[in-house]
Amino acid sequence: MIETSYYVYALKDPRSSPAKPFYIGKGIGVRAYDHLVKPDNSRKGKLIQEIMDQGAQVLVTILVDSVSEAQSIKLEAELISAFGTIDTGGFLTNVIIPSGLSGKVRTSIVVPHGAQEKAQIGLSLLKDAILEFAKANQSGISNSDAASLLGLKSDYGGGSKDYLSYSIIGLLMREGKLAREGNSRKHVAKVQ
């Protein structure tokens, strides 16, 4: 049986009419309200604090509920890509960090609106999965382990069947979240 306790929500600024969404998220339980308890130092947290300092209350709107985690992830990604983030010319404070994006402008290539946000959300989920996998295996994981056991191995005709997992492990190493264990091919999660 598929768990359907997930929902997708929007945080809205009540100082405009209609109230303008500034953050889209997914969660279970009271996740949508966690942001309001102790705003952090992110764009989202600063805006929440600004709204509260002006005597207003952030509106929390459940956009859809009783969905599976997979459905909530897909809908969250679609909404973020539709509205766009501040960094991509939209108005959401969601943080999607595009790493490894080329600085070149290629006029012959069309990047559909929202495609970059979807790719970065997917990358974030893959990084989280590999990091969680590494934390669960304290003796370390190899690229081959990540590719085969997490279903990231390609069946494309080329010789680089584990390239996706290798790239993600490389990003996690650059971010200081994974480290290579001595001279072995194992990677371990760094304590944070």
Side-chain angles (χ1 to χ4, degrees):
M1 184 169 155
I2 296 175
E3 182 182 352
T4 57
S5 58
Y6 284 82
Y7 59 87
V8 178
Y9 62 93
L11 300 181
K12 297 180 180 179
D13 186 341
R15 299 173 297 174
S16 62
S17 183
K20 184 177 177 182
F22 63 88
Y23 184 83
I24 301 291
K26 68 164 182 64
I28 57 175
V30 296
R31 172 66 181 138
Y33 299 90
D34 287 347
H35 306 285
L36 311 179
V37 175
K38 188 175 178 190
D40 58 20
N41 205 28
S42 66
R43 277 188 198 145
K44 172 193 68 205
K46 289 177 181 177
L47 184 54
I48 289 170
Q49 192 63 55
E50 177 186 313
I51 292 167
M52 293 188 323
D53 288 349
Q54 291 185 5
Q57 188 172 12
V58 173
L59 301 175
V60 177
T61 303
I62 305 300
L63 303 172
V64 64
D65 63 358
S66 301
V67 294
S68 70
E69 183 177 22
Q71 290 168 321
S72 69
I73 289 168
K74 183 172 182 182
L75 183 56
E76 178 191 36
E78 288 290 339
L79 289 170
I80 292 170
S81 69
F83 290 124
T85 63
I86 291 171
D87 293 328
T88 62
F91 52 83
L92 294 178
T93 59
N94 291 68
V95 178
I96 300 171
I97 302 168
S99 58
L101 293 178
S102 171
K104 296 179 182 177
V105 175
R106 295 176 63 188
T107 56
S108 62
I109 302 293
V110 175
V111 178
H113 178 73
Q116 184 181 35
E117 289 88 351
K118 287 179 187 176
Q120 294 306 309
I121 290 168
L123 176 60
S124 176
L125 291 169
L126 287 168
K127 286 166 50 178
D128 287 350
I130 289 177
L131 190 56
E132 188 175 319
F133 183 50
K135 286 178 180 177
N137 294 280
Q138 294 179 355
S139 63
I141 61 165
S142 68
N143 176 53
S144 179
D145 293 334
S148 60
L149 298 173
L150 297 180
L152 302 175
K153 187 177 282 293
S154 172
D155 60 1
Y156 187 69
S160 301
K161 301 210 182 279
D162 299 344
Y163 188 73
L164 175 60
S165 53
Y166 193 71
S167 295
I168 296 167
I169 287 171
L171 290 171
L172 289 167
M173 288 176 68
R174 186 175 73 201
E175 293 171 7
K177 296 177 180 175
L178 281 183
R180 189 167 226 155
E181 183 78 337
N183 291 330
S184 76
R185 293 182 178 216
K186 298 279 186 174
H187 299 86
V188 294
K190 293 178 92 174
V191 178
Q192 301 212 9

